[in-house]
Amino acid sequence: MLTIGKLGEAAGVKVPTIRYYEQIGLLPEAERSSGNQRLYGRRAMEQLAFIRHARDLGFTLEAIRDLLSLSDRPDQSCAAADAIARAQLAEVESRLARLIALKAELERMVVQCAGGRIADCRVIEVLSDHSLCAHDHLSVPKSVDASLALPASTSSSN
Amino acid sequence: MLTIGKLGEAAGVKVPTIRYYEQIGLLPEAERSSGNQRLYGRRAMEQLAFIRHARDLGFTLEAIRDLLSLSDRPDQSCAAADAIARAQLAEVESRLARLIALKAELERMVVQCAGGRIADCRVIEVLSDHSLCAHDHLSVPKSVDASLALPASTSSSN
DNA sequence: CTTGAAGCTATAGTTGCTAGAGACATTAGG
DNA sequence: CCTAATGTCTCTAGCAACTATAGCTTCAAG
Ligand SMILES: [Zn+2]
Ligand SMILES: [Zn+2]
Ligand SMILES: [Zn+2]
Ligand SMILES: [Zn+2]
């Protein structure tokens, strides 16, 4: 039985994050010691590692919640799990496409600036006028909108 | 003089967002009509368009705040502005690198799943064990950490 | 037995907005 | 001129996924 600190260390997850996961019901309520401290066994370890890995791959907590509950039913079809993974892949691909456009536009502005006064700064100029941009880099269309953010990739370990 | 609705329409920014920008001091307090409604002139229009464009390129509001105040001092060196843009480029490049790794890993898991029962699902297997991953896709090193999220790219216009 | 680290709960802050309530302003139509 | 519809006002709360703080209790080492 591990304390929360040891568990966090083992799984590469910060202690408050573990408590947060429990609070939102992503992890089951932990057993408690006589002195009211959380205690974890192998099962909790595995679940937390699963969560951590899925977060690293960019899955939302909601998706992870679903994946966890699926993984509890080994005999069912994995179609739902695969669908979640494919959706995540699509998400990543769409972000990727957008970032590639952003990168091109940012490179253009940085390269074009000769580095004089603000009045002649290409960076400021381009930001003032999108028609100076080579291509689109537009805001994302509504359908793709929700949860675009890369899960605040909260620097690794404990 | 435009009302806030017209301004939002013109700049492709939602009305509450404009009020929010004023609230956090990114836009100056607007003039008011006799009936206490905000009125905007050409200057506000340009500033808002600048903000919108910079947001589209992924700059944080903090960075935009700095860029705006720089653009108010046309005679100064543009080194600071260029530095902000280069930092943003670096940000984008780092996210890009990470997303490329994620994409590869997600593709691998999706492709490898034969689609049977959960017990044999490659998606679940891989999530349970990072050593099944081909490469790193690790959480971002501490230094690059803050504000990794793509500015919740809150679908364009008004 | 004492001390310091680790744990506990509860609350608030982060980013960049978005949504709602309830009141006032403006404008178009009859 | 009155009314209804829309627009705007302020204020507050909510989203994701944590992180940080305060003020306590418990535990392990010496
Ligand atoms: Zn410049
Ligand atoms: Zn542009
Ligand atoms: Zn599968
Ligand atoms: Zn992995």
Side-chain angles (χ1 to χ4, degrees), chain A residues 78 82, chain B residues 113 115 121-123:
Chain A
C78 78
D82 294 9
Chain B
C113 183
C121 180
R122 187 64 174 176
V123 169

Side-chain angles (χ1 to χ4, degrees), chain A:
Chain A
M1 286 301 196
L2 301 171
T3 63
I4 196 171
K6 300 296 175 189
L7 177 68
E9 208 171 320
V13 176
K14 289 179 191 160
V15 166
T17 303
I18 299 173
R19 287 196 281 245
Y20 169 71
Y21 288 161
E22 179 181 314
Q23 191 195 311
I24 63 168
L26 193 60
L27 286 174
E29 293 196 14
E31 285 178 61
R32 297 298 182 114
S33 73
S34 56
N36 198 37
Q37 305 202 219
R38 289 173 181 82
L39 291 179
Y40 299 92
R42 169 170 301 278
R43 177 104 179 90
M45 238 309 245
E46 287 167 1
Q47 284 191 333
L48 186 55
F50 185 103
I51 294 170
R52 164 75 148 102
H53 196 202
R55 289 296 293 124
D56 274 359
L57 287 165
F59 288 89
T60 65
L61 294 184
E62 261 316 290
I64 294 172
R65 194 188 295 276
D66 294 345
L67 288 168
L68 278 173
S69 86
L70 286 168
S71 76
D72 264 353
R73 292 162 186 60
D75 288 331
Q76 295 209 334
S77 150
C78 78
D82 294 9
I84 292 171
R86 272 194 304 271
Q88 175 61 16
L89 176 56
E91 249 303 307
V92 165
E93 280 170 344
S94 118
R95 287 198 296 225
L96 210 41
R98 186 162 142 77
L99 280 185
I100 285 167
L102 294 200
K103 175 174 183 252
E105 230 40 86
L106 287 166
E107 267 172 350
R108 258 172 53 94
M109 46 192 261
V110 162
V111 162
Q112 286 179 10
C113 182
R117 293 170 311 135
I118 288 276
D120 312 314
C121 180
R122 187 62 175 179
V123 170
I124 301 289
E125 265 176 45
V126 172
L127 288 175
S128 302
D129 182 3
H130 173 56
S131 74
L132 295 175
C133 281
H135 293 304
D136 260 10
H137 81 75
L138 298 158
S139 272
V140 185
K142 285 211 176 114
S143 52
V144 199
D145 192 19
S147 73
L148 252 200
L150 221 207
S153 232
T154 173
S155 77
S156 58
S157 35
N158 54 281

Side-chain angles (χ1 to χ4, degrees), chain B residues 92-118:
Chain B
V92 166
E93 280 169 345
S94 118
R95 286 199 295 223
L96 211 40
R98 186 162 142 78
L99 280 185
I100 286 168
L102 294 200
K103 178 177 181 248
E105 229 40 85
L106 288 166
E107 267 171 351
R108 259 172 52 94
M109 47 192 261
V110 163
V111 162
Q112 287 180 9
C113 183
R117 292 171 313 134
I118 287 277

